[in-house]
Amino acid sequence: MARKKKELPLLEKITITDVAAEGKALAKVNDLVIFVPYVVPGDVVDLQIKRKKNHYAEAVAVKFHEKSPMRTEPFCQHYGVCGGCKWQCLSYEDQIRYKQKQVFDNLTRIGKVELPEFMPILGSEKTKFYRNKLEFTFSNKRWLTEEEVKQDVKYDQMNAVGFHIPGAFDKVLAIEKCWLQDDISNQIRNAIRDYAYEHNYEFFNLRTQEGMLRNMMVRTSSTGELMVLLQCKITKNEELEQMKALLQFVADKFPQITSLLYVINNKCNDTIGDLEVEVFKGNDHIFEEMEGLRFKVGPKSFYQTNSEQAYNLYKVARNFAGLTGNELVYDLYTGTGTIANFVSRQAKKVIGIEYVPEAIEDAKVNSQINGIENTLFYAGDMKDILTQDFINEHGRPDVIITDPPRAGMHNDVIDVILFAEPRRIVYVSCNPATQARDLQLLDSKYKVTAVQPVDMFPHTHHVENVVLLEKR
């Protein structure tokens, strides 16, 4: 006999007091900490507990008694369902104030190192249409919202192109308008969707791994160039013809696309790092531009997704590096060499290291097209490349700039940095929590002398942070 599920309580007139991780807000009832999405500090709400542990619970707001003065009206029709841009209900001024607090809390509570006064966070001038890259998923399992389910509407069309629903890996929310990327992205996605509907194209089923249309990526750039990459599963000649007909339709309808690409992916995942990308029309890349420098961006390249704020971020990093023209700089996790090339004019030599071989090829090209001759790039796992032997061969760096992934730096990498003993370390991070952990490991030899948060992603809880460490 099935055990009856315990009914979880409804808590009435609870005041939301703070923001928490992952875009959620926080309330406290007696000693119980409760995490709640889509509310802001100052809201007074009834909370339905959904999940309860010993010391915390997760809940949803089911009724508002008072709305916080910080609250703003969300501008996106998909808000609250899509799972992205969770802070649309919080004024931008308060968003960046809480991001500054998030950095401070992480560095003080986790890092436990002596800190200088933080510089005020650099907010993003653009808070809508600020991204230069989006990916959309095709699925034959369209997610129905609560309202659609309640109305009991029967839909003839259950295919969708949009974003994955959090917690439902095979369901996709059909996106009509997304405010993250230039509106051309919406136009292209919706045109492809309508063409596919009209011509009865098969959308992918993530469970059975059947269907042709899988994924599409749109990249825009500050130079006005535009890249579209279509990803399909192709097992029959008929599907290949269908895909090419769709690409021709896109090429004709959107002549402003400068790089129209496709990839045939018959694997069980959407990663394309190990797949051949084919050009249907135009170039196999687009360019970004910054301070007169041009950066080649291919379909597999990493480039900061907020171009304008990336420029501000890199200026902070360069300023913290304090270059005079005589320094040997190591740029760790260099990606396509953006930071390495950006600081090269002020350095004697820059050595960049990155895991992705294609990114390193782009980094080398970026140096060539900008006439930069004082850079060297190496591809491989950071902990395998950056060794004491590498330091002995290439020289001890005066400055290390490091911009690791969210997981932070491997302990072996930190050990080699300590061995290298640069005068300065500029640590750029998209995760202040792992950055704080790494700062603690560097604390024996390095003191934090400057901290500058930069908001790259309005309406989300994510924040970039730049820290300057100087030798004790």
Side-chain angles (χ1 to χ4, degrees):
M1 186 175 165
R3 198 165 64 179
K4 193 178 177 185
K5 210 172 183 183
K6 188 180 176 184
E7 202 169 301
L8 294 167
L10 176 75
L11 306 177
E12 297 181 334
K13 293 190 176 178
I14 305 300
T15 301
I16 305 299
T17 55
D18 205 347
V19 300
E22 296 176 7
K24 293 177 182 174
L26 185 144
K28 281 187 179 176
V29 177
N30 301 322
D31 291 332
L32 186 68
V33 174
I34 307 171
F35 298 101
V36 192
Y38 309 118
V39 292
V40 303
D43 284 340
V44 180
V45 292
D46 290 350
L47 294 177
Q48 176 61 60
I49 302 291
K50 292 290 186 182
R51 188 163 170 256
K52 191 171 181 298
K53 297 289 184 183
N54 287 339
H55 302 293
Y56 76 93
E58 295 173 12
V60 293
V62 292
K63 182 179 177 182
F64 282 79
H65 293 279
E66 289 177 38
K67 291 194 174 180
S68 167
M70 294 184 205
R71 175 170 279 281
T72 57
E73 194 61 37
F75 49 83
C76 179
Q77 70 193 77
H78 304 296
Y79 174 77
V81 184
C82 154
C85 305
K86 288 179 178 148
W87 278 6
Q88 277 184 42
C89 56
L90 183 63
S91 74
Y92 187 59
E93 186 182 338
D94 289 309
Q95 286 181 37
I96 58 175
R97 183 167 60 85
Y98 277 111
K99 288 184 184 188
Q100 177 108 2
K101 181 177 180 292
Q102 177 188 331
V103 171
F104 180 81
D105 288 349
N106 277 312
L107 264 54
T108 50
R109 291 177 186 172
I110 300 171
K112 295 184 174 65
V113 296
E114 188 184 343
L115 295 167
E117 187 176 340
F118 286 25
M119 297 178 189
I121 188 169
L122 290 176
S124 178
E125 197 171 305
K126 279 186 183 174
T127 58
K128 296 172 186 170
F129 301 134
Y130 62 84
R131 283 184 68 106
N132 56 40
K133 178 190 174 189
L134 276 183
E135 290 191 55
F136 303 101
T137 299
F138 295 89
S139 173
N140 70 342
K141 290 187 181 297
R142 176 183 166 190
W143 176 262
L144 298 178
T145 65
E146 280 184 33
E147 288 74 18
E148 289 171 329
V149 172
K150 283 174 188 170
Q151 291 165 10
D152 198 28
V153 179
K154 296 289 183 283
Y155 289 92
D156 296 331
Q157 185 57 263
M158 285 302 289
N159 288 327
V161 55
F163 298 130
H164 283 278
I165 287 288
F169 84 95
D170 63 332
K171 298 280 174 61
V172 163
L173 177 69
I175 297 294
E176 190 60 40
K177 177 163 184 168
C178 177
W179 294 80
L180 284 172
Q181 191 176 29
D182 186 287
D183 199 51
I184 188 64
S185 175
N186 290 312
Q187 294 168 37
I188 293 168
R189 183 196 61 251
N190 292 349
I192 289 175
R193 173 202 66 198
D194 293 345
Y195 183 94
Y197 285 173
E198 188 184 335
H199 293 84
N200 296 315
Y201 280 28
E202 285 190 8
F203 285 41
F204 200 62
N205 182 316
L206 273 158
R207 287 188 184 273
T208 64
Q209 295 287 302
E210 294 171 328
M212 186 183 85
L213 295 174
R214 291 188 68 142
N215 180 282
M216 67 175 286
M217 177 180 73
V218 181
R219 282 191 189 261
T220 53
S221 89
S222 56
T223 61
E225 290 171 282
L226 182 57
M227 175 186 287
V228 176
L229 171 69
L230 187 68
Q231 191 179 142
C232 295
K233 179 175 183 178
I234 303 292
T235 57
K236 297 178 278 195
N237 284 337
E238 175 193 337
E239 290 170 336
L240 186 63
E241 293 310 311
Q242 282 184 314
M243 180 187 70
K244 290 187 173 176
L246 173 56
L247 288 164
Q248 191 58 56
F249 161 77
V250 174
D252 293 341
K253 189 168 179 66
F254 299 99
Q256 62 269 56
I257 294 173
T258 55
S259 174
L260 183 55
L261 313 171
Y262 68 91
V263 61
I264 295 172
N265 180 3
N266 296 340
K267 301 185 303 170
C268 293
N269 61 59
D270 284 340
T271 59
I272 63 167
D274 57 342
L275 298 175
E276 194 72 33
V277 176
E278 304 288 348
V279 177
F280 185 81
K281 178 199 165 193
N283 303 315
D284 64 355
H285 61 274
I286 56 177
F287 282 103
E288 273 289 353
E289 209 166 72
M290 198 182 289
E291 239 179 47
L293 295 171
R294 284 165 65 79
F295 297 99
K296 180 187 174 188
V297 181
K300 300 177 186 180
S301 300
F302 171 78
Y303 193 86
Q304 285 283 2
T305 50
N306 184 338
S307 299
E308 290 178 21
Q309 279 298 83
Y311 179 41
N312 290 324
L313 182 78
Y314 298 152
K315 281 193 290 186
V316 170
R318 185 175 61 189
N319 182 42
F320 278 9
L323 302 175
T324 63
N326 298 312
E327 291 84 7
L328 171 60
V329 179
Y330 282 17
D331 180 28
L332 311 185
Y333 312 93
T334 191
T336 56
T338 316
I339 292 180
N341 285 301
F342 187 71
V343 304
S344 63
R345 290 170 177 169
Q346 285 79 27
K348 184 178 180 182
K349 187 178 184 181
V350 185
I351 296 174
I353 306 172
E354 165 62 39
Y355 180 73
V356 182
E358 291 89 353
I360 284 297
E361 290 312 306
D362 281 348
K364 291 174 180 175
V365 170
N366 287 332
S367 287
Q368 288 165 10
I369 60 180
N370 289 292
I372 296 168
E373 296 178 345
N374 61 337
T375 56
L376 271 177
F377 294 102
Y378 294 89
D381 194 307
M382 188 62 62
K383 64 181 172 49
D384 299 332
I385 296 276
L386 188 71
T387 61
Q388 292 188 11
D389 287 344
F390 186 91
I391 301 287
N392 292 332
E393 182 184 345
H394 293 89
R396 289 180 181 268
D398 301 293
V399 177
I400 285 181
I401 300 172
T402 181
D403 186 2
R406 291 192 65 77
M409 295 192 291
H410 193 282
N411 281 5
D412 291 354
V413 176
I414 291 172
D415 288 343
V416 176
I417 290 173
L418 291 170
F419 166 78
E421 294 189 324
R423 289 202 306 272
R424 290 188 195 89
I425 301 168
V426 180
Y427 191 148
V428 182
S429 173
C430 58
N431 185 349
T434 54
Q435 184 183 44
R437 178 204 66 204
D438 292 348
L439 295 182
Q440 193 175 40
L441 295 172
L442 292 163
D443 189 54
S444 60
K445 287 189 179 178
Y446 289 90
K447 180 180 180 182
V448 176
T449 56
V451 180
Q452 174 67 77
V454 182
D455 184 28
M456 306 287 286
F457 311 106
H459 313 304
T460 77
H461 64 285
H462 297 291
V463 60
E464 292 270 342
N465 190 45
V466 191
V467 169
L468 172 61
L469 300 105
E470 295 187 89
K471 207 171 174 192
R472 290 186 182 279

